[in-house]
Amino acid sequence: MSLTPLSPAQGADAAPQGTSAATPTEHVNVVIVGAGLSGVGAAHRIQTARPGATYTVLEAREDLGGTWDLFRYPGVRSDSDMYTLGYPFRPWRDGKSLADGASILQYIRETAEAFGIDRRIRYSSKVVGADFSTATSRWTLTVEDPRDGTRTTLSCDFLYSCGGYYDYEHPHAPVFEGAEDFQGQIVHPQFWPEDLDHGGKRVVVVGSGATAVTLVPSLLEDTTGRRDGHGGKAAAHVTMLQRSPTWIGSVPQRDKLADRARSVLPEGLAHRAVRAKNIAFTTAFYQYCRRRPESARKILGRLATKGVGDAALVAEHFTPAYDPWDQRLCAVPDGDLFKAVRAGTARVVTDHIDRFVPEGVRLRSGEVLPADIVVTATGLRLLPFGGIRPRVDGKEADLSERFIWQGAMISGIPNFAVCVGYTNASWTLRADLTHRLVCKVLTWMDREGHTAVAPRPDRALTPRPLLDLASGYIQRAAGSFPHQGDSGPWRMRQNYVLDALTTLRTDLGRSLKPVTAPEPAEEGAADWRPDLLGEGYAQRVIELGPDPDGEGDARAVLVRRTVRPEERTTGAVLYVHGFSDYFFQTELADFFAERGLAFYGVDLRKCGRARRPGQTAHYVSDLALYDAELDQALELIAEEHPDLPVVLAAHSTGGLVAPLYLDRRRRAGRPTTVSGLVLNSPWFDLQGKPVMRGPLTWALRALARVRPFQALNLPGGVYGRTLHTSGTGEWEYDVDLKPLDGFPVTIGWLNAVRRGHAALHQGIDVGVPSLVLRSDKTHYSLRYSERSDRADTVLDVRQIARWTAAGLGGDAADVPVTDARHDVFLSLPGVRRSAYEHLDTWLRLHHQVPTPD
């Protein structure tokens, strides 16, 4: 990878602090994603080990610091000592070993300024698309400004993700029954209100992890004398409510050996000495816990009893069922949590929440914890590598099927590295090793003349979890991450001493293989390829050219159910999905196939299989844009089944798209092969009170001109959880393609939908018989109940009935299905049998399928 010559706009000062995004033509050697503790460290290593290389740091937020800029709750601090969490090249000078968040943020800021890194950071620059081309050996990044949704592109030779694996925008936030009845205030630590006054109030902290054990003693401190103006009076009482205990160890706030070392040794030498001492201690204690768990349990129990002063209380509230380091150990400076419990100002309760009540939290035991404020320290959500979903030659790389090499690069993805820290020690220890390894790889590539390399195993690997802890937040996201292997460079050991001895001495040529562009496909090669639904299904990409909405090249994907040898075909079906959906309903496909209709489903542009990196999920500025893929899909069906009629079937938003498409084709004098229309809970009008629809529509029209990609903050509802097996449903589907809470609704897309509604309300004529299936009732609720499984929880079924009669024109039948869900064909078994019976009757009545002899 030779260094690219610089234009004047690409020099060391090309990206002044505060620049929001790169110009479309700019190219740099390395892009670092994230300007937190890791990103700044990576930048220092790149500019030191690779002098002359161009690099840019992209930061989605408006300031550097990452975690330490985001989290502002009282007492936020490190749970690793700063001699190992800090940079090895910049000694930690503060007296506290476990430092507060503000001090760490200042340390990162001063480091960035000292080495000129701050001039390479581009703020408000979120990577929303990353596509590697093997033809050019370059990454093309789509960069969005979160403030206004504007997007630009930037290319680079090597992409290094240093954004960690936490979701900064969405914490893990369970829905608690009765929360709306609570008369106090509910806050989440990830979004702590600056003006929250907890002085003299009763606080319940829900959780038992690092955040909770930090918050409890901090809320009891009187900080009215703070110079920064963020102080306040102490809470009257704090209760830590946990479902189960966590192992907690007391750690000295100040490292006395560090103080002595700094008094007699040069600063750099003292820092290295204390760092080595702390590495040795934490490594030895971790190994002791793993090898002698019973002994470790006794040690931690005795220390907790010494702090709390009550062995029975420790046995009940500070003695977990799991062994030390099965989950991450929580550290409390100078035993501050234990002291607060001992003093009686704090209490620990181990129980489950039954529901919120006006005066506080009612437990399953029946006890009510009175509260003025409830803090839901319920944990974080993991997001692989800052949400970057890399693609290679237009195909998304499924991270869950890949392996991580040396804890840094991912099998089959060229010129891409990620920063993953230790779970049992300081994050920076592993991060700095990875920074140095990336520099070594870049230098080796230059020497060997490789423009692109990717790790490739030379044998079959046994997959193991990347983050090998039993913690709930890790287990919830385990399936989204690549695996580690069982040996060698594919094993991510939680041992800094061994890693420090081996990582930078690895034989790069043994595992890193050159990547070249694939040979052009032979003329006449098959256009159909296996689909994610497995045997019996194939897909074909429909290229649509440049996206009119400016998000790269658009495409759709047509999915085909293979016609079995014994099946007779008398027609076909084209199925169109709804918003936050894609085709996966194989039972529906089998139903049509059994009646002689060859089945096809189309994933529309930016939806499901068709969405490309950097594209906003399901976004179009005009529903008429879908005409292109519907036309091509019908043409492809006609090629395979010439002269056979097609039933157009559609669900929800697709149920609005499909009739509008048929009406436009009829008006334009362009007949189609469509002979019937089946709509499943079509979205014919905006939910809510009629008096609000007009003003909202006008507002959308105005905002869509200036902020079309702006997402609306709408509640997720319970619909997804009634379908998926993780909730009360029986359906397994890809939650990345169909999230349980749905994709964000954007202003421009909703404006397009409202224009579609207006066209329907003026009256259209689809030109063919139509059947509308829907539930017999609507039930809106943010909390699940049995009613959620037996009603449409998304749309108002009265609106569907009204506009079926008034809007479709011609022969339109409205059929309510008792107890149906929003997707009637994903309802409870007995309900969908009824829906299929209605559909079968209609198909035969309108001669869409043969009538039995």
Side-chain angles (χ1 to χ4, degrees), residues 50-86:
R50 303 277 299 163
T54 58
Y55 77 87
T56 292
V57 183
L58 300 180
E59 171 55 51
R61 294 168 54 78
E62 297 182 33
D63 201 353
L64 55 72
T67 297
W68 305 108
D69 176 60
L70 172 68
F71 291 96
R72 302 296 180 91
Y73 59 82
V76 58
R77 54 170 171 75
S78 66
D79 60 355
S80 298
D81 71 276
M82 288 304 300
Y83 301 98
T84 57
L85 187 65

mmCIF file of all heavy atoms in Angstrom, residues 50-86:
data_model
loop_
_atom_site.group_PDB
_atom_site.id
_atom_site.type_symbol
_atom_site.label_atom_id
_atom_site.label_comp_id
_atom_site.label_asym_id
_atom_site.label_seq_id
_atom_site.Cartn_x
_atom_site.Cartn_y
_atom_site.Cartn_z
ATOM 1 N N ARG A 50 3.937 5.744 11.000
ATOM 2 C CA ARG A 50 3.750 5.870 9.553
ATOM 3 C C ARG A 50 3.887 7.323 9.133
ATOM 4 O O ARG A 50 2.947 7.947 8.612
ATOM 5 C CB ARG A 50 2.369 5.349 9.155
ATOM 6 C CG ARG A 50 2.083 3.915 9.565
ATOM 7 C CD ARG A 50 2.649 2.930 8.588
ATOM 8 N NE ARG A 50 2.075 3.096 7.268
ATOM 9 C CZ ARG A 50 2.609 2.597 6.156
ATOM 10 N NH1 ARG A 50 3.744 1.929 6.220
ATOM 11 N NH2 ARG A 50 2.028 2.774 4.985
ATOM 12 N N PRO A 51 5.057 7.917 9.347
ATOM 13 C CA PRO A 51 5.231 9.329 8.970
ATOM 14 C C PRO A 51 4.991 9.511 7.475
ATOM 15 O O PRO A 51 5.449 8.722 6.646
ATOM 16 C CB PRO A 51 6.688 9.605 9.360
ATOM 17 C CG PRO A 51 7.347 8.265 9.408
ATOM 18 C CD PRO A 51 6.293 7.309 9.857
ATOM 19 N N GLY A 52 4.254 10.526 7.138
ATOM 20 C CA GLY A 52 3.916 10.770 5.738
ATOM 21 C C GLY A 52 2.572 10.217 5.330
ATOM 22 O O GLY A 52 2.032 10.609 4.297
ATOM 23 N N ALA A 53 2.027 9.308 6.121
ATOM 24 C CA ALA A 53 0.707 8.769 5.799
ATOM 25 C C ALA A 53 -0.361 9.816 6.096
ATOM 26 O O ALA A 53 -0.244 10.586 7.055
ATOM 27 C CB ALA A 53 0.442 7.512 6.613
ATOM 28 N N THR A 54 -1.377 9.841 5.266
ATOM 29 C CA THR A 54 -2.498 10.742 5.516
ATOM 30 C C THR A 54 -3.575 9.982 6.265
ATOM 31 O O THR A 54 -3.848 8.819 5.971
ATOM 32 C CB THR A 54 -3.074 11.287 4.204
ATOM 33 O OG1 THR A 54 -3.483 10.197 3.379
ATOM 34 C CG2 THR A 54 -2.024 12.101 3.458
ATOM 35 N N TYR A 55 -4.185 10.638 7.218
ATOM 36 C CA TYR A 55 -5.267 9.991 7.951
ATOM 37 C C TYR A 55 -6.267 11.039 8.402
ATOM 38 O O TYR A 55 -5.963 12.229 8.517
ATOM 39 C CB TYR A 55 -4.734 9.206 9.158
ATOM 40 C CG TYR A 55 -4.348 10.044 10.355
ATOM 41 C CD1 TYR A 55 -5.299 10.397 11.322
ATOM 42 C CD2 TYR A 55 -3.039 10.504 10.523
ATOM 43 C CE1 TYR A 55 -4.954 11.167 12.417
ATOM 44 C CE2 TYR A 55 -2.685 11.276 11.613
ATOM 45 C CZ TYR A 55 -3.643 11.604 12.558
ATOM 46 O OH TYR A 55 -3.311 12.377 13.647
ATOM 47 N N THR A 56 -7.469 10.569 8.653
ATOM 48 C CA THR A 56 -8.551 11.409 9.162
ATOM 49 C C THR A 56 -9.276 10.630 10.252
ATOM 50 O O THR A 56 -9.448 9.420 10.150
ATOM 51 C CB THR A 56 -9.550 11.759 8.039
ATOM 52 O OG1 THR A 56 -8.910 12.613 7.093
ATOM 53 C CG2 THR A 56 -10.772 12.476 8.588
ATOM 54 N N VAL A 57 -9.697 11.332 11.289
ATOM 55 C CA VAL A 57 -10.496 10.741 12.348
ATOM 56 C C VAL A 57 -11.925 11.251 12.189
ATOM 57 O O VAL A 57 -12.152 12.466 12.208
ATOM 58 C CB VAL A 57 -9.961 11.088 13.754
ATOM 59 C CG1 VAL A 57 -10.791 10.388 14.829
ATOM 60 C CG2 VAL A 57 -8.489 10.716 13.891
ATOM 61 N N LEU A 58 -12.875 10.348 12.006
ATOM 62 C CA LEU A 58 -14.278 10.727 11.865
ATOM 63 C C LEU A 58 -15.002 10.485 13.185
ATOM 64 O O LEU A 58 -14.975 9.374 13.715
ATOM 65 C CB LEU A 58 -14.943 9.914 10.758
ATOM 66 C CG LEU A 58 -14.339 10.057 9.358
ATOM 67 C CD1 LEU A 58 -15.105 9.181 8.366
ATOM 68 C CD2 LEU A 58 -14.347 11.509 8.898
ATOM 69 N N GLU A 59 -15.643 11.506 13.693
ATOM 70 C CA GLU A 59 -16.341 11.429 14.976
ATOM 71 C C GLU A 59 -17.796 11.849 14.778
ATOM 72 O O GLU A 59 -18.078 12.948 14.311
ATOM 73 C CB GLU A 59 -15.673 12.331 16.000
ATOM 74 C CG GLU A 59 -16.433 12.510 17.313
ATOM 75 C CD GLU A 59 -16.773 11.192 17.994
ATOM 76 O OE1 GLU A 59 -15.858 10.368 18.176
ATOM 77 O OE2 GLU A 59 -17.959 10.985 18.323
ATOM 78 N N ALA A 60 -18.724 10.963 15.138
ATOM 79 C CA ALA A 60 -20.143 11.237 14.926
ATOM 80 C C ALA A 60 -20.664 12.334 15.836
ATOM 81 O O ALA A 60 -21.588 13.068 15.478
ATOM 82 C CB ALA A 60 -20.957 9.962 15.122
ATOM 83 N N ARG A 61 -20.074 12.453 17.036
ATOM 84 C CA ARG A 61 -20.532 13.464 17.969
ATOM 85 C C ARG A 61 -19.862 14.807 17.670
ATOM 86 O O ARG A 61 -19.057 14.918 16.751
ATOM 87 C CB ARG A 61 -20.240 13.003 19.403
ATOM 88 C CG ARG A 61 -21.056 11.758 19.791
ATOM 89 C CD ARG A 61 -20.560 11.132 21.086
ATOM 90 N NE ARG A 61 -20.516 12.074 22.176
ATOM 91 C CZ ARG A 61 -21.559 12.484 22.882
ATOM 92 N NH1 ARG A 61 -22.755 12.006 22.597
ATOM 93 N NH2 ARG A 61 -21.433 13.351 23.855
ATOM 94 N N GLU A 62 -20.200 15.815 18.457
ATOM 95 C CA GLU A 62 -19.696 17.155 18.200
ATOM 96 C C GLU A 62 -18.485 17.502 19.043
ATOM 97 O O GLU A 62 -18.053 18.656 19.092
ATOM 98 C CB GLU A 62 -20.815 18.187 18.413
ATOM 99 C CG GLU A 62 -21.976 17.994 17.431
ATOM 100 C CD GLU A 62 -23.066 19.043 17.594
ATOM 101 O OE1 GLU A 62 -22.725 20.191 17.943
ATOM 102 O OE2 GLU A 62 -24.237 18.716 17.383
ATOM 103 N N ASP A 63 -17.932 16.523 19.722
ATOM 104 C CA ASP A 63 -16.724 16.724 20.510
ATOM 105 C C ASP A 63 -16.021 15.387 20.648
ATOM 106 O O ASP A 63 -16.609 14.330 20.403
ATOM 107 C CB ASP A 63 -17.058 17.304 21.889
ATOM 108 C CG ASP A 63 -15.856 18.012 22.539
ATOM 109 O OD1 ASP A 63 -14.741 17.930 21.969
ATOM 110 O OD2 ASP A 63 -16.032 18.629 23.593
ATOM 111 N N LEU A 64 -14.760 15.430 21.017
ATOM 112 C CA LEU A 64 -14.023 14.183 21.204
ATOM 113 C C LEU A 64 -14.300 13.613 22.590
ATOM 114 O O LEU A 64 -15.005 14.200 23.402
ATOM 115 C CB LEU A 64 -12.516 14.411 20.999
ATOM 116 C CG LEU A 64 -11.783 15.487 21.821
ATOM 117 C CD1 LEU A 64 -11.615 15.094 23.277
ATOM 118 C CD2 LEU A 64 -10.397 15.723 21.226
ATOM 119 N N GLY A 65 -13.760 12.435 22.860
ATOM 120 C CA GLY A 65 -13.899 11.839 24.184
ATOM 121 C C GLY A 65 -14.711 10.578 24.228
ATOM 122 O O GLY A 65 -14.587 9.784 25.159
ATOM 123 N N GLY A 66 -15.621 10.374 23.234
ATOM 124 C CA GLY A 66 -16.412 9.149 23.204
ATOM 125 C C GLY A 66 -17.203 8.942 24.479
ATOM 126 O O GLY A 66 -17.996 9.786 24.903
ATOM 127 N N THR A 67 -16.982 7.800 25.116
ATOM 128 C CA THR A 67 -17.696 7.445 26.342
ATOM 129 C C THR A 67 -17.583 8.531 27.391
ATOM 130 O O THR A 67 -18.549 8.843 28.099
ATOM 131 C CB THR A 67 -17.131 6.129 26.900
ATOM 132 O OG1 THR A 67 -17.373 5.089 25.948
ATOM 133 C CG2 THR A 67 -17.787 5.763 28.220
ATOM 134 N N TRP A 68 -16.404 9.135 27.499
ATOM 135 C CA TRP A 68 -16.148 10.082 28.586
ATOM 136 C C TRP A 68 -16.736 11.451 28.310
ATOM 137 O O TRP A 68 -16.800 12.293 29.201
ATOM 138 C CB TRP A 68 -14.641 10.159 28.848
ATOM 139 C CG TRP A 68 -14.113 8.787 29.117
ATOM 140 C CD1 TRP A 68 -13.332 8.020 28.314
ATOM 141 C CD2 TRP A 68 -14.412 7.991 30.265
ATOM 142 N NE1 TRP A 68 -13.113 6.796 28.894
ATOM 143 C CE2 TRP A 68 -13.764 6.749 30.086
ATOM 144 C CE3 TRP A 68 -15.157 8.201 31.432
ATOM 145 C CZ2 TRP A 68 -13.841 5.723 31.029
ATOM 146 C CZ3 TRP A 68 -15.241 7.186 32.360
ATOM 147 C CH2 TRP A 68 -14.584 5.970 32.165
ATOM 148 N N ASP A 69 -17.161 11.675 27.067
ATOM 149 C CA ASP A 69 -17.906 12.897 26.766
ATOM 150 C C ASP A 69 -19.405 12.656 26.857
ATOM 151 O O ASP A 69 -20.171 13.542 27.219
ATOM 152 C CB ASP A 69 -17.549 13.384 25.353
ATOM 153 C CG ASP A 69 -18.363 14.603 24.955
ATOM 154 O OD1 ASP A 69 -18.266 15.632 25.645
ATOM 155 O OD2 ASP A 69 -19.102 14.525 23.955
ATOM 156 N N LEU A 70 -19.825 11.424 26.542
ATOM 157 C CA LEU A 70 -21.254 11.103 26.537
ATOM 158 C C LEU A 70 -21.816 10.981 27.945
ATOM 159 O O LEU A 70 -22.858 11.563 28.276
ATOM 160 C CB LEU A 70 -21.485 9.796 25.777
ATOM 161 C CG LEU A 70 -22.904 9.216 25.851
ATOM 162 C CD1 LEU A 70 -23.884 10.111 25.116
ATOM 163 C CD2 LEU A 70 -22.940 7.808 25.285
ATOM 164 N N PHE A 71 -21.153 10.201 28.796
ATOM 165 C CA PHE A 71 -21.710 9.888 30.107
ATOM 166 C C PHE A 71 -21.417 11.017 31.103
ATOM 167 O O PHE A 71 -20.255 11.326 31.363
ATOM 168 C CB PHE A 71 -21.150 8.565 30.626
ATOM 169 C CG PHE A 71 -21.644 7.374 29.853
ATOM 170 C CD1 PHE A 71 -20.900 6.831 28.822
ATOM 171 C CD2 PHE A 71 -22.877 6.809 30.134
ATOM 172 C CE1 PHE A 71 -21.357 5.748 28.102
ATOM 173 C CE2 PHE A 71 -23.343 5.724 29.417
ATOM 174 C CZ PHE A 71 -22.585 5.200 28.398
ATOM 175 N N ARG A 72 -22.475 11.589 31.651
ATOM 176 C CA ARG A 72 -22.329 12.727 32.561
ATOM 177 C C ARG A 72 -23.053 12.495 33.881
ATOM 178 O O ARG A 72 -23.313 13.443 34.613
ATOM 179 C CB ARG A 72 -22.887 13.997 31.893
ATOM 180 C CG ARG A 72 -22.230 14.362 30.560
ATOM 181 C CD ARG A 72 -20.762 14.704 30.713
ATOM 182 N NE ARG A 72 -20.139 15.056 29.458
ATOM 183 C CZ ARG A 72 -20.050 16.302 28.976
ATOM 184 N NH1 ARG A 72 -20.573 17.301 29.652
ATOM 185 N NH2 ARG A 72 -19.449 16.526 27.815
ATOM 186 N N TYR A 73 -23.381 11.262 34.213
ATOM 187 C CA TYR A 73 -24.107 11.011 35.452
ATOM 188 C C TYR A 73 -23.183 11.209 36.652
ATOM 189 O O TYR A 73 -21.947 11.153 36.529
ATOM 190 C CB TYR A 73 -24.719 9.616 35.461
ATOM 191 C CG TYR A 73 -23.750 8.472 35.314
ATOM 192 C CD1 TYR A 73 -23.033 7.977 36.405
ATOM 193 C CD2 TYR A 73 -23.560 7.849 34.079
ATOM 194 C CE1 TYR A 73 -22.158 6.919 36.270
ATOM 195 C CE2 TYR A 73 -22.680 6.789 33.946
ATOM 196 C CZ TYR A 73 -21.984 6.324 35.041
ATOM 197 O OH TYR A 73 -21.101 5.274 34.916
ATOM 198 N N PRO A 74 -23.730 11.469 37.827
ATOM 199 C CA PRO A 74 -22.907 11.749 39.002
ATOM 200 C C PRO A 74 -21.923 10.626 39.309
ATOM 201 O O PRO A 74 -22.291 9.455 39.360
ATOM 202 C CB PRO A 74 -23.933 11.899 40.137
ATOM 203 C CG PRO A 74 -25.189 12.296 39.450
ATOM 204 C CD PRO A 74 -25.174 11.590 38.124
ATOM 205 N N GLY A 75 -20.659 10.999 39.473
ATOM 206 C CA GLY A 75 -19.642 10.047 39.875
ATOM 207 C C GLY A 75 -19.065 9.224 38.750
ATOM 208 O O GLY A 75 -18.241 8.336 39.018
ATOM 209 N N VAL A 76 -19.457 9.467 37.495
ATOM 210 C CA VAL A 76 -18.953 8.651 36.401
ATOM 211 C C VAL A 76 -17.425 8.627 36.448
ATOM 212 O O VAL A 76 -16.763 9.651 36.573
ATOM 213 C CB VAL A 76 -19.474 9.164 35.040
ATOM 214 C CG1 VAL A 76 -19.085 10.614 34.792
ATOM 215 C CG2 VAL A 76 -18.985 8.274 33.913
ATOM 216 N N ARG A 77 -16.874 7.445 36.347
ATOM 217 C CA ARG A 77 -15.426 7.278 36.516
ATOM 218 C C ARG A 77 -14.989 5.996 35.829
ATOM 219 O O ARG A 77 -15.804 5.202 35.363
ATOM 220 C CB ARG A 77 -15.072 7.200 38.004
ATOM 221 C CG ARG A 77 -15.854 6.119 38.732
ATOM 222 C CD ARG A 77 -15.358 5.861 40.132
ATOM 223 N NE ARG A 77 -16.244 4.978 40.882
ATOM 224 C CZ ARG A 77 -16.337 3.675 40.712
ATOM 225 N NH1 ARG A 77 -15.582 3.078 39.797
ATOM 226 N NH2 ARG A 77 -17.172 2.933 41.433
ATOM 227 N N SER A 78 -13.684 5.791 35.799
ATOM 228 C CA SER A 78 -13.141 4.552 35.251
ATOM 229 C C SER A 78 -13.258 3.450 36.293
ATOM 230 O O SER A 78 -13.264 3.711 37.497
ATOM 231 C CB SER A 78 -11.663 4.745 34.886
ATOM 232 O OG SER A 78 -10.891 4.965 36.056
ATOM 233 N N ASP A 79 -13.370 2.200 35.807
ATOM 234 C CA ASP A 79 -13.275 1.090 36.741
ATOM 235 C C ASP A 79 -11.988 0.301 36.498
ATOM 236 O O ASP A 79 -11.829 -0.811 36.973
ATOM 237 C CB ASP A 79 -14.494 0.173 36.664
ATOM 238 C CG ASP A 79 -14.684 -0.440 35.292
ATOM 239 O OD1 ASP A 79 -13.925 -0.079 34.370
ATOM 240 O OD2 ASP A 79 -15.579 -1.287 35.133
ATOM 241 N N SER A 80 -11.085 0.906 35.721
ATOM 242 C CA SER A 80 -9.717 0.408 35.560
ATOM 243 C C SER A 80 -8.778 1.516 36.014
ATOM 244 O O SER A 80 -9.093 2.705 35.868
ATOM 245 C CB SER A 80 -9.406 0.065 34.103
ATOM 246 O OG SER A 80 -10.246 -0.960 33.627
ATOM 247 N N ASP A 81 -7.632 1.142 36.538
ATOM 248 C CA ASP A 81 -6.701 2.171 37.001
ATOM 249 C C ASP A 81 -6.148 2.947 35.804
ATOM 250 O O ASP A 81 -5.972 2.403 34.709
ATOM 251 C CB ASP A 81 -5.551 1.520 37.779
ATOM 252 C CG ASP A 81 -4.608 0.748 36.870
ATOM 253 O OD1 ASP A 81 -4.919 -0.425 36.566
ATOM 254 O OD2 ASP A 81 -3.582 1.309 36.438
ATOM 255 N N MET A 82 -5.888 4.212 36.013
ATOM 256 C CA MET A 82 -5.488 5.084 34.922
ATOM 257 C C MET A 82 -4.055 4.853 34.446
ATOM 258 O O MET A 82 -3.677 5.341 33.386
ATOM 259 C CB MET A 82 -5.685 6.542 35.322
ATOM 260 C CG MET A 82 -7.136 6.974 35.382
ATOM 261 S SD MET A 82 -8.044 6.683 33.819
ATOM 262 C CE MET A 82 -7.101 7.684 32.678
ATOM 263 N N TYR A 83 -3.274 4.108 35.193
ATOM 264 C CA TYR A 83 -1.917 3.812 34.735
ATOM 265 C C TYR A 83 -1.933 2.774 33.626
ATOM 266 O O TYR A 83 -0.986 2.679 32.837
ATOM 267 C CB TYR A 83 -1.056 3.343 35.913
ATOM 268 C CG TYR A 83 -0.992 4.389 36.997
ATOM 269 C CD1 TYR A 83 -1.815 4.306 38.117
ATOM 270 C CD2 TYR A 83 -0.164 5.499 36.871
ATOM 271 C CE1 TYR A 83 -1.806 5.287 39.093
ATOM 272 C CE2 TYR A 83 -0.142 6.485 37.849
ATOM 273 C CZ TYR A 83 -0.960 6.378 38.952
ATOM 274 O OH TYR A 83 -0.947 7.361 39.915
ATOM 275 N N THR A 84 -3.025 2.000 33.540
ATOM 276 C CA THR A 84 -3.179 1.074 32.417
ATOM 277 C C THR A 84 -4.245 1.547 31.438
ATOM 278 O O THR A 84 -4.178 1.253 30.250
ATOM 279 C CB THR A 84 -3.548 -0.342 32.909
ATOM 280 O OG1 THR A 84 -4.743 -0.288 33.689
ATOM 281 C CG2 THR A 84 -2.429 -0.913 33.748
ATOM 282 N N LEU A 85 -5.247 2.298 31.911
ATOM 283 C CA LEU A 85 -6.254 2.835 31.002
ATOM 284 C C LEU A 85 -5.704 4.019 30.213
ATOM 285 O O LEU A 85 -6.134 4.296 29.097
ATOM 286 C CB LEU A 85 -7.507 3.265 31.776
ATOM 287 C CG LEU A 85 -8.706 3.692 30.924
ATOM 288 C CD1 LEU A 85 -9.247 2.521 30.110
ATOM 289 C CD2 LEU A 85 -9.821 4.279 31.785
ATOM 290 N N GLY A 86 -4.751 4.722 30.803
ATOM 291 C CA GLY A 86 -4.118 5.830 30.106
ATOM 292 C C GLY A 86 -3.167 5.347 29.022
ATOM 293 O O GLY A 86 -2.907 4.151 28.876
#
